[in-house]
Amino acid sequence: MTVDVNMQVYDDEQIRLMGEMCIVVDENDTPLRPETKKNCHLKTQTPPGLLLHRAFSVFLFSPDGRLLLQQRADEKITFPGFFTNTCCSHPLWVASEMDGVDGARRAAQRKLEHELGIPAEQVPLEKFQFMTRLHYLAASDGIWGEHEMDYIFIIKAAVTVDPSPNEVKSVKYVTKDELKHLFATAKSEGISLTPWFQMIVERFLYKWWDRLDDGGLKAAADPDTIHRV
């Protein structure tokens, strides 16, 4: 049973998106059933408190090696106004997005266009390097949270960005040193960072960043492991 929530206090478009059907999985990432995005993110009264479902996180780098960040729109129901990686969302329970890594790639391409206005031809599927999976649990507030099997992708591409204001409040490119400074000063500057972004940066990103230019990303990938936090 989920907690009671008054959806009328939220943005109409974000409420509509909460009707999308996510992929509920077990701890081995085996699909179990479809469930609404709303029910996947609403806290429940039974442990662990949130349904485990598939997600993806994209880290898009410019040709000169800077990382594109976004600040989530204030209209977002979970983690509004938080800074995060380039794009993070969910594969859906549709034929084209059910197939593990390939399905997550297609979902990532779809959401890069939806959230950031990046045309699909600028981010072809074969350019998404799958790195690994992260299984994590994190609260947004007393009502909403995340319990995700997160597929992590890196892509290096020259893109045009035209963010949807209902999804993205701001964007910026950062160098590795600028990202380290952001993390070091976020608390004192009153900047909020999404939990999955923090987990991925602190555990993996800097060592992957070092492999962007030497062709070593594929060698650095760990596609068969599910990292549990």
Side-chain angles (χ1 to χ4, degrees), residues 90-120:
H90 311 86
L92 300 180
W93 190 279
V94 295
S96 61
E97 297 182 8
M98 289 289 297
D99 185 19
V101 175
D102 287 340
R105 276 196 183 95
R106 295 187 187 97
Q109 186 186 63
R110 170 176 60 83
K111 290 298 289 186
L112 282 168
E113 184 160 21
H114 173 229
E115 293 187 3
L116 293 162
I118 298 174

Side-chain angles (χ1 to χ4, degrees), residues 25-40:
V25 296
D26 64 17
E27 291 197 351
N28 295 314
D29 196 25
T30 303
L32 299 177
R33 69 178 193 274
E35 187 53 80
T36 63
K37 183 178 174 184
K38 173 187 173 182
N39 286 343
C40 284

